Amino acid sequence: MKKKDARSVRYGLDTANLPPLTDSQRAELAALAGLPDEQIDYSDIPPLTDEWFQKAVQGRFYRPVKQQITARVDADVQAWLKAGGKGYQARMNAILRREMLAALKSRKRA
């Protein structure tokens, strides 16, 4: 675990206990809520075309949950993984994932 810097300051926000809105904030929110959709400026938002949706990738930022296991592997396999330097467990996971995806892909074809 990394040592915390004594000069670091952390701030948190308790969303269940927010400060009350001011009158000007309430007025601004009411004006925005009353604004018709036709008057909203969308010029800074790129349009979502059919081409964009065809290129879109679902789950791009998905990170699977890691689960700690105990696995018995041959000593030479472990030595080979560790010879690649730090992160041998991540490499082992990547190799297993590649094989899993290949097996799933070939199963779909059949």
Side-chain angles (χ1 to χ4, degrees), residues 34-88:
L35 193 65
D37 288 349
E38 298 80 34
Q39 292 183 5
I40 298 174
D41 179 16
Y42 294 107
S43 63
D44 61 337
I45 303 172
L48 299 179
T49 62
D50 288 338
E51 180 185 354
W52 183 89
F53 281 103
Q54 288 172 354
K55 292 181 180 179
V57 178
Q58 187 175 3
R60 181 175 172 190
F61 299 105
Y62 168 72
R63 293 183 66 182
V65 176
K66 303 288 184 190
Q67 184 173 355
Q68 186 173 348
I69 64 165
T70 300
R72 297 177 68 82
V73 296
D74 296 336
D76 57 337
V77 172
Q78 184 183 19
W80 173 75
L81 284 166
K82 285 187 171 185
K86 203 170 186 177
Y88 78 95

Side-chain angles (χ1 to χ4, degrees), residues 5-16:
D5 186 354
R7 296 170 294 180
S8 294
V9 177
R10 291 185 179 229
Y11 294 97
L13 178 65
D14 181 7
T15 56

Side-chain angles (χ1 to χ4, degrees), residues 78-98:
Q78 184 183 19
W80 173 75
L81 284 166
K82 285 187 171 185
K86 203 170 186 177
Y88 78 95
Q89 291 175 329
R91 277 192 300 283
M92 181 170 31
N93 189 65
I95 293 165
L96 291 169
R97 176 167 294 283
R98 185 176 61 227

